Amino acid sequence: MTDILVTAPSVLTREFWRRFSTPTPEALGRSIMSLLVIAESIVCIFWIFTLSSLGEGYAVIAAVPYVYLVISYVSLFLFYRLKRFEYFTFTQLVMLLVMPFVMQWAIGGFAASSGVAIWAILSPVGALMILGTRQSTPWFLLFVGLAFISWKLNHYFAGNAMPIPTTVKDAFFLMNITGTASILYGVLRYFQAQKERVMISLELEQARSEKLLLNILPAAIAERLKANDMRIADHYESVTVMFADLVNFTQISEKMPALQLIDLLSQVFLKFDQLAEKYQVEKIKTIGDAYMVVSGAPIMYADHVARIAEMAFDMKVVLQEVAVKTGIDLNMRIGIHTGPVVAGVIGSTKFSYDLWGDTVNLASRMESTCKPNNIQVTRETQALIKDAYIFSEKADVDVKGKGLVETYFLLARKSS
């Protein structure tokens, strides 16, 4: 039995510190229970040696904490062998609750024992932290019931009290007050530390989720979704939509390994994304090697056409930078149209912010009918910025479903 008393606390200590760094509910429960058992074991050893030193007549009293130690560590080793933590928890909670009251009764009531039954409060506290609020209630009611029984029968226990020296009583009183307070503080501090770690982890996860959401949806739309506005459909009277598409990219990609192809597209679209952020326009999506943005939705700007025009010029520049860096001949077509759209969020699990309407279709046609390395715009777009930019002569382009459409090539900015 001596070997058990020496070995078991070290096992519990290792378990406690191993679980400390893994704040799962199960690990938290094991750590808290380990802490309670270690503390109660130390106190029991103190009681055993103190009471045994008073003489043979106190052997029955000293046997109470000794029995607690035997049952506790036998259940501990059974738990490790059978991996049944729930049985270990139940046994320990029962022992933590009953042993202090039995010891108080054996010593001689409240006064003689210096209120040693206060240690039983560790049982409902442990149950609260390990089992939760609902399952801990019966343990607290049992504690109150045993305290009431102790009060009602205190005269009987006091009549059979063994004489205990005042110094021992004072030591017991100090142990009972400071011991229970220290253990409760330690357990609550540990519990709070784990709670703070969980809250920090939660904040990091929320920040990561927030960043992911903003990568998928415009910030204004994301805020509306978080406010439970699940049906988002807005009409915008005037926005500017731009499509950009790499020329002959299918033929280029056929000669590339998959990783090189993805790397090339990532370089191009990363620079386009940076330009979208610079001009505060909204990237809608990429479709293969095509890139779609809108200016004027979901945030409306008076200069939405100029923002797209400036971004289109910069896109041609950055594409050539990538072409020089990679040694690949890259060209693109850009189409722009201005008009009304409906914008909203579709999907219930995978959200997507998209645009609908003739404006989107016409902007796409401007891109598909555009000559390589040019920016083709409709008359509606040209009319809004003709005083600030230079355009080619008008041309009539046959657009499927629309017939002849008046178009222009956006050439340059006018000198101020």
Side-chain angles (χ1 to χ4, degrees), residues 104-105 110 146-155 157:
Q104 178 172 287
W105 300 338
F110 285 104
L146 288 173
F148 182 79
I149 292 172
S150 298
W151 172 69
K152 290 293 290 185
L153 301 178
N154 189 63
H155 65 282
F157 299 131

Side-chain angles (χ1 to χ4, degrees), residues 42-93:
I42 294 172
V43 174
C44 284
I45 293 171
F46 169 80
W47 285 335
I48 290 170
F49 282 102
T50 302
L51 293 170
S52 298
S53 66
L54 297 179
E56 294 183 0
Y58 297 85
V60 175
I61 303 176
V64 175
Y66 196 85
V67 170
Y68 166 81
L69 291 174
V70 172
I71 296 176
S72 291
Y73 292 110
V74 167
S75 68
L76 169 64
F77 286 107
L78 286 175
F79 153 65
Y80 266 91
R81 180 174 294 274
L82 301 176
K83 302 299 182 183
R84 301 301 298 267
F85 180 63
E86 63 275 14
Y87 294 154
F88 175 70
T89 301
F90 179 78
T91 302
Q92 292 302 320
L93 291 177

Side-chain angles (χ1 to χ4, degrees), residues 124-382:
V125 169
L128 176 63
M129 295 185 175
I130 298 170
L131 304 178
T133 53
R134 179 175 297 180
Q135 295 188 58
S136 68
T137 302
W139 294 97
F140 180 74
L141 294 177
L142 285 171
F143 170 79
V144 173
L146 288 173
F148 182 79
I149 292 172
S150 298
W151 172 69
K152 290 293 290 185
L153 301 178
N154 189 63
H155 65 282
Y156 172 77
F157 299 131
N160 297 282
M162 296 284 291
I164 296 179
T166 302
T167 54
V168 175
K169 282 186 179 182
D170 292 343
F172 273 19
F173 183 80
L174 179 64
M175 170 73 75
N176 296 338
I177 295 298
T178 60
T180 53
S182 299
I183 294 173
L184 286 175
Y185 176 77
V187 170
L188 291 173
R189 182 184 175 90
Y190 171 71
F191 190 80
Q192 180 63 25
Q194 297 307 311
K195 176 185 173 183
E196 290 172 358
R197 291 179 63 183
V198 169
M199 294 304 296
I200 291 173
S201 298
L202 180 60
E203 289 175 1
L204 292 175
E205 286 300 320
Q206 287 177 332
R208 190 177 294 113
S209 299
E210 180 84 9
K211 185 177 180 180
L212 180 61
L213 186 62
L214 292 177
N215 284 337
I216 299 172
L217 299 172
I221 300 300
E223 289 299 325
R224 289 170 63 180
L225 282 175
K226 289 192 293 184
N228 292 322
D229 185 2
M230 303 305 294
R231 300 187 65 183
I232 297 177
D234 301 314
H235 176 80
Y236 296 90
E237 192 60 39
S238 181
V239 303
T240 300
V241 179
M242 175 173 67
F243 281 87
D245 189 48
L246 298 178
V247 178
N248 297 325
F249 194 76
T250 300
Q251 290 79 359
I252 294 173
S253 64
E254 289 175 350
K255 304 174 184 178
M256 285 185 181
L259 288 177
Q260 185 180 356
L261 172 63
I262 297 301
D263 182 61
L264 176 61
L265 285 175
S266 295
Q267 290 185 59
V268 173
F269 288 158
L270 174 61
K271 289 184 177 295
F272 288 179
D273 288 346
Q274 292 170 345
L275 292 176
E277 185 175 353
K278 174 182 176 181
Y279 291 107
Q280 295 183 311
V281 300
E282 195 62 48
K283 170 187 172 183
I284 300 300
K285 57 188 171 185
T286 58
I287 311 167
D289 57 331
Y291 191 88
M292 176 185 177
V293 294
V294 62
S295 178
I299 299 176
M300 292 178 283
Y301 297 107
D303 61 342
H304 57 87
V305 185
R307 290 171 186 261
I308 288 290
E310 291 298 322
M311 180 177 175
F313 286 135
D314 286 355
M315 288 171 72
K316 294 176 64 176
V317 173
V318 299
L319 184 66
Q320 292 310 305
E321 290 177 354
V322 175
V324 171
K325 180 180 178 181
T326 59
I328 300 172
D329 185 22
L330 296 175
N331 301 283
M332 69 178 176
R333 297 184 297 263
I334 297 176
I336 301 173
H337 177 56
T338 303
V341 297
V342 172
V345 174
I346 57 174
S348 57
T349 55
K350 292 184 178 180
F351 296 111
S352 174
Y353 183 73
D354 212 341
L355 307 178
W356 297 271
D358 190 57
T359 297
V360 177
N361 298 329
L362 199 48
S364 177
R365 294 287 183 266
M366 288 299 98
E367 177 274 314
S368 62
T369 59
C370 182
K371 295 179 180 179
N373 292 326
N374 278 279
I375 305 169
Q376 183 168 248
V377 305
T378 59
R379 177 173 55 83
E380 288 81 1
T381 301
Q382 185 265 355

